Amino acid sequence: MGMSRISPQRRRDVLVAGACGVFVAAMIGAAYAAVPLYNWFCRTTGFGGTPQVATAAPADILDRKLKVRFDANVAGGLPWRFEPEQNSIEVKVGEVVTVSYRVVNESARETVGIASYNVSPPTVGAYFSKINCFCFTDQRLKAGETRDMAVVFFVAPDIVKDSEQDGVETITLSYTMYPARQTEPVRGENGAAAGRS
Amino acid sequence: MDTIAKAHGEDQHDHPHGWRRYLYSTNHKDIGTMYLAFALLGGLVGGVLSIGMRLELMHPGLQFFHDSHMFNVFTTAHGLIMIFFMVMPAMIGGFGNWMVPLMIGAPDMAFPRMNNISFWLLPASFTLLIISLFVEGEPGAPGVAAGWTIYAPLSTTGHPGPAVDFAILSLHLAGASSILGAINFITTIFNMRAPGMTMHKMPLFVWSQLVTVFLILLAMPVLAGAITMLLTDRNFGTTFFTPSGGGDPLLFQHLFWFFGHPEVYILIVPGFGMVSQIVATFARKPVFGYLGMAYAMVAIGGIGFVVWAHHMYTVGMSTAVQAYFVVATMVIAVPTGVKIFSWVATMWGGSLEFKTPMLWAIGFIFLFTVGGVTGVVLANAGVDRSLQDTYYVVAHFHYVLSLGAVFTIFAGWYYWFPKMSGYMYSEPIGKLHFWLTFIGVNIVFFPQHFLGLSGMPRRIADYPDAFAGWNLVSSIGSYISGVGALVFFFGVAHAFMRKQRAGDNPWGAGATTLEWTLPSPPPFHQYNELPLIK
């Protein structure tokens, strides 16, 4: 059927429907575009307790003191023991601090893990900056190996300018060790266990 | 008129008869009828599930369910079925298909064959959802128990069995069905209005459908994207919502509610349109503030896209972000208020006739206002912190949906039943249905406010004895509503057996839209000569 047999009315219908179809495709695209955008948004603004990555220490150290608690978890499917050296410390705002976490591979095989991290309350993410962290890279541990891993962080001095953070006395830095890059589908070898333990 | 209808019908030898008439149907009225029948089936299944839940919650302890998993399978299926297989098919596929072409003076929908596909995707979708109830979800237990919101990680690592995959594919089909339907409605309304039927002369029901299908076009693809990500996370090792691979489960909540909030307007806005037609008809007055009514729906739809995070106040947003969502949410009360007051103003000074459709419409206005007020309460981030995930929320959204949307569906049903079937329903049975339902649902849901305020959480099969009293009352209410539903089905059967002719326009001078100029039921193809609108 050639174009000549399509009535002008029909052409208008196809035009409107086509525009709607393009729109639907664009919205599906937008849903997928939200994934990198959300990731970028969290990293940039500290939204949802996403700590910042810093390359240099802040210029000044303030008198305000905060308690920083350290939390360590191991997700199912990873035969590791994982704990902070100290449960909590007092830091001055702007002071660069190094703390250590210890991880032990309790199994008889080499395993690879990577830590996810965030801080609580979620609104201090923008002011919690890490200069270095074991969570930036995969950790590969031989059978039975023990490793001490460092986190270098500071609480950014800008926190005192944000009135919403005035009531904050304690910040909790939390890590969860996962088996590195789950390539199996969820119902694979570490399926049910992963969600439940 | 009846003979004219027959004569028209016999002119049309080109359409198939018997089962082919429906399976291959390209006729907007036949497809609308199938949608309505499908919605009745969906409502029946969803309603039985809800009474199952109320049976369990009638007393503390576990009576009917062995564990809370199965109870939550019921809540999940109840929600999904009522949304996708009852309210949407009834309002958009059913009344929309039937009445939009009639009201704008069009012979049919713009893409009749696509209309057929839209409908027949739904039974397939429903079948997939039913299958999901019987295959493994959580380890060793059948069905999806993650709620209609299917939040990750409960819907990913929490449900290793294939039940969630079936539910996701079911939603894909339901979404495709409604997107195709939406494209069809937009094209029909833009291109096929009769001469003189300008946008600003369209009946408000057509306006309400137009707003609704635009919401579908914007929101549904986002759900499709989000659940596709869930599907690949579950089966193909992607990590969109899996922290171990750099994903974030919170992203799913954002995507879901970007769809989910407009979705609740998709469920109610066609009802706004129906109530406007019905109130004007039975007050024998044109609707008060026509343009305000039309653009209030546009405003509600538009603002509905920028308030989604009020479903997520407790996920740890900064005060500024929460404040924005509080204000944006409360702004919706303004166009909604415009609508409520305009309905009241339409009735004011009108020559009111309390026929069954009008009772349902007035019942809707009252109950929707109650649900709207609790919605404004919940919009406050501070209050929501204590009410999040309690029965107060359940009471709120059932007042706007179960009592709001469903009341408009029944209002529309009684209003257009004479037009669609050609038969008059029985007023006493219709009124009995209304009063049983009105009393029943209020007994179900009003006490749930009290339960929520005293802290009873949603989605639990068992509760402390302290909540026993109001739960008993609530359950009794659901049985009364159940009896109301039986009266409804009896009334439908009664009307078809009694065969009392309705005539072209049983409602008199108040019914001014084009469908009342046609015979009841309308001929198989209408408007062979397009009506001219002055």
Side-chain angles (χ1 to χ4, degrees):
Chain A
M1 192 195 296
M3 282 297 278
S4 55
R5 288 181 58 188
I6 300 173
S7 68
Q9 163 75 36
R10 195 66 188 161
R11 199 166 300 158
R12 273 198 328 146
D13 288 353
V14 172
L15 198 70
V16 173
C20 293
V22 169
F23 192 71
V24 167
M27 287 308 290
I28 295 178
Y32 275 88
V35 177
L37 277 176
Y38 183 76
N39 191 292
W40 168 84
F41 179 76
C42 292
R43 274 186 288 116
T44 314
T45 62
F47 189 80
T50 314
Q52 305 296 294
V53 178
T55 47
D60 40 29
I61 297 174
L62 309 180
D63 284 338
R64 178 163 166 199
K65 279 188 178 170
L66 289 166
K67 185 171 158 188
V68 179
R69 290 178 62 246
F70 303 101
D71 176 42
N73 309 281
V74 182
L78 196 61
W80 289 10
R81 196 172 74 231
F82 177 43
E83 57 204 14
E85 200 175 49
Q86 298 144 295
N87 282 324
S88 67
I89 56 170
E90 285 238 311
V91 300
K92 281 183 175 167
V93 170
E95 175 188 12
V96 177
V97 188
T98 304
V99 294
S100 178
Y101 275 76
R102 170 164 293 183
V103 60
V104 183
N105 182 356
E106 293 183 316
S107 75
R109 60 192 161 89
E110 186 180 86
T111 37
V112 187
I114 185 157
S116 74
Y117 50 90
N118 72 340
V119 291
S120 178
T123 49
V124 301
Y127 308 106
F128 196 93
S129 300
K130 294 180 189 169
I131 294 174
N132 196 5
C133 176
F134 60 86
C135 55
F136 295 164
T137 52
D138 284 359
Q139 301 294 324
R140 182 178 294 273
L141 264 69
K142 295 195 185 69
E145 185 182 344
T146 299
R147 183 176 298 168
D148 288 313
M149 306 178 300
V151 188
V152 184
F153 72 90
F154 60 89
V155 179
D158 284 350
I159 194 168
V160 298
K161 294 181 196 153
D162 181 355
S163 61
E164 197 174 319
Q165 312 303 339
D166 285 351
V168 173
E169 288 169 1
T170 307
I171 296 175
T172 305
L173 174 61
S174 175
Y175 289 100
T176 304
M177 268 298 177
Y178 286 95
R181 186 73 176 100
Q182 201 176 346
T183 45
E184 290 289 303
V186 287
R187 76 173 73 97
E189 59 172 324
N190 46 38
R196 303 211 141 229
S197 48
Chain B
M1 273 303 150
D2 187 34
T3 49
I4 294 173
K6 280 221 172 71
H8 271 279
E10 276 154 18
D11 279 344
Q12 323 288 342
H13 290 295
D14 56 336
H15 70 83
H17 292 272
W19 59 271
R20 283 191 188 83
R21 169 172 173 180
Y22 291 97
L23 186 64
Y24 300 164
S25 181
T26 53
N27 180 290
H28 74 102
K29 293 183 286 290
D30 283 352
I31 293 174
T33 304
M34 289 194 289
Y35 265 113
L36 286 173
F38 181 82
L40 289 183
L41 174 74
L44 203 62
V45 177
V48 166
L49 291 171
S50 72
I51 290 185
M53 289 184 281
R54 282 319 317 172
L55 273 172
E56 174 56 58
L57 292 173
M58 194 168 170
H59 300 293
L62 288 176
Q63 287 93 31
F64 296 92
F65 292 86
H66 297 301
D67 54 21
S68 49
H69 168 84
M70 209 54 214
F71 180 85
N72 284 330
V73 170
F74 270 50
T75 59
T76 306
H78 166 75
L80 289 175
I81 289 172
M82 287 304 199
I83 291 165
F84 290 101
F85 304 119
M86 195 279 278
V87 175
M88 286 175 73
M91 285 189 164
I92 306 162
F95 295 128
N97 251 312
W98 252 99
M99 296 304 158
V100 165
L102 295 188
M103 284 179 153
I104 62 173
D108 205 306
M109 296 288 280
F111 301 104
R113 219 166 282 280
M114 191 162 85
N115 207 7
N116 175 293
I117 297 170
S118 294
F119 173 75
W120 283 109
L121 281 174
L122 272 190
S125 166
F126 193 47
T127 308
L128 284 173
L129 190 71
I130 298 296
I131 291 174
S132 86
L133 295 176
F134 296 98
V135 297
E136 187 176 88
E138 288 185 9
V144 182
W148 85 284
T149 53
I150 47 174
Y151 280 179
L154 183 55
S155 60
T156 54
T157 45
H159 280 72
V164 175
D165 300 318
F166 278 101
I168 288 173
L169 293 173
S170 163
L171 291 183
H172 272 132
L173 290 190
S177 156
S178 58
I179 289 172
L180 292 179
I183 293 175
N184 217 338
F185 276 107
I186 290 174
T187 313
T188 308
I189 295 173
F190 279 175
N191 288 355
M192 293 176 69
R193 280 170 284 123
M197 175 67 78
T198 60
M199 292 295 277
H200 282 173
K201 280 186 188 160
M202 290 195 314
L204 283 173
F205 179 67
V206 181
W207 264 105
S208 73
Q209 290 288 338
L210 186 63
V211 171
T212 305
V213 293
F214 265 106
L215 297 186
I216 289 178
L217 210 61
L218 262 134
M220 213 51 95
V222 176
L223 175 74
I227 60 178
T228 307
M229 291 177 209
L230 264 191
L231 195 71
T232 56
D233 268 17
R234 290 174 49 78
N235 296 290
F236 305 111
T238 59
T239 55
F240 290 108
F241 311 124
T242 314
S244 62
D248 188 345
L250 257 190
L251 175 63
F252 181 79
Q253 296 191 21
H254 282 288
L255 288 174
F256 181 85
W257 286 115
F258 185 83
F259 146 80
H261 197 77
E263 172 68 17
V264 300
Y265 295 138
I266 291 168
L267 300 177
I268 195 67
V269 168
F272 290 167
M274 288 187 235
V275 168
S276 298
Q277 306 298 150
I278 292 166
V279 168
T281 297
F282 294 98
R284 295 190 183 234
K285 275 173 68 189
V287 78
F288 179 88
Y290 167 85
L291 274 186
M293 288 293 251
Y295 284 99
M297 289 189 283
V298 176
I300 292 171
I303 307 170
F305 277 100
V306 293
V307 298
W308 75 91
H310 68 211
H311 297 271
M312 314 165 43
Y313 282 138
T314 54
V315 303
M317 293 182 289
S318 70
T319 314
V321 176
Q322 291 182 50
Y324 159 73
F325 280 106
V326 170
V327 173
T329 304
M330 288 191 178
V331 165
I332 296 183
V334 177
T336 312
V338 168
K339 297 203 73 67
I340 304 276
F341 285 114
S342 297
W343 285 320
V344 174
T346 307
M347 287 189 272
W348 190 268
S351 148
L352 293 181
E353 233 185 331
F354 294 101
K355 293 267 176 62
T356 307
M358 186 62 162
L359 287 185
W360 287 100
I362 296 174
F364 158 81
I365 295 170
F366 171 66
L367 296 171
F368 187 79
T369 306
V370 174
V373 168
T374 55
V376 174
V377 173
L378 285 170
N380 292 280
V383 178
D384 183 74
R385 213 144 272 247
S386 101
L387 294 179
Q388 162 99 8
D389 263 340
T390 67
Y391 261 82
Y392 194 87
V393 179
V394 176
H396 156 68
F397 70 74
H398 280 92
Y399 259 84
V400 283
L401 293 179
S402 172
L403 320 197
V406 172
F407 270 49
T408 64
I409 291 174
F410 281 130
W413 176 275
Y414 285 104
Y415 183 59
W416 282 315
F417 181 81
K419 175 55 60 188
M420 295 186 294
S421 68
Y423 301 129
M424 203 59 203
Y425 62 86
S426 150
E427 275 294 332
I429 297 177
K431 284 187 170 140
L432 178 67
H433 174 212
F434 169 77
W435 284 111
L436 277 174
T437 310
F438 185 82
I439 293 167
V441 291
N442 275 294
I443 297 178
V444 181
F445 294 111
F446 207 79
Q448 294 186 1
H449 291 116
F450 311 144
L451 290 170
L453 287 171
S454 37
M456 178 166 164
R458 299 166 68 175
R459 293 174 175 153
I460 55 157
D462 190 8
Y463 51 83
D465 290 356
F467 300 128
W470 288 122
N471 270 302
L472 177 64
V473 173
S474 181
S475 289
I476 291 170
S478 87
Y479 310 144
I480 298 175
S481 323
V483 174
L486 294 179
V487 171
F488 165 70
F489 284 107
F490 173 75
V492 176
H494 176 266
F496 276 110
M497 287 188 295
R498 190 173 63 154
K499 294 189 192 305
Q500 191 193 95
R501 292 275 160 200
D504 290 7
N505 179 4
W507 308 130
T512 54
T513 40
L514 280 179
E515 77 268 31
W516 305 109
T517 62
L518 295 168
S520 302
F524 194 75
H525 294 299
Q526 75 275 354
Y527 303 136
N528 290 335
E529 234 162 278
L530 290 181
L532 191 68
I533 288 89
K534 292 177 288 295

